[in-house]
Amino acid sequence: MGVLSTHAYLLRAIGFGDTSRIAVLLGEGPGKFRVIAKGYRMPKNGCARALELFREIEIVYYHRPNRDLQIASRADVVAYHDGLD
């Protein structure tokens, strides 16, 4: 398991359970991939503001090559693209 960081665009996000969120991202290096942000709805989560639709983010995640769903550690907003037409 390695810790990776990449610049990505958030394409889709859905709630998972009470506090988590699954996000589909388009990254510069890995292409399209999925992450789960555990504890997303908790007040002190490092991914809370970044995992909204059409955000351009810098994400740090734990990568395991044999898994389809990676675990997000931290995400920071680079740019907001809320008003796409």
Side-chain angles (χ1 to χ4, degrees):
M1 173 169 39
V3 178
L4 299 177
S5 175
T6 189
H7 189 86
Y9 294 92
L10 186 69
L11 302 177
R12 184 174 182 214
I14 56 171
F16 183 78
D18 290 336
T19 61
S20 300
R21 177 168 264 203
I22 295 176
V24 178
L25 302 164
L26 182 62
E28 288 180 350
K32 187 176 172 185
F33 65 103
R34 296 179 344 144
V35 297
I36 185 166
K38 295 182 177 182
Y40 166 80
R41 294 187 185 108
M42 304 303 274
K44 294 185 179 183
N45 186 293
C47 298
R49 196 182 65 194
L51 293 180
E52 297 295 330
L53 284 180
F54 306 121
R55 300 285 163 94
E56 186 176 344
I57 63 173
E58 187 70 32
I59 186 163
V60 177
Y61 62 98
Y62 298 101
H63 177 72
R64 295 189 98 175
N66 58 345
R67 289 193 179 172
D68 183 42
L69 189 62
Q70 309 305 327
I71 299 173
S73 171
R74 179 113 185 117
D76 296 312
V77 177
V78 174
Y80 297 93
H81 300 290
D82 293 333
L84 292 176
D85 295 324

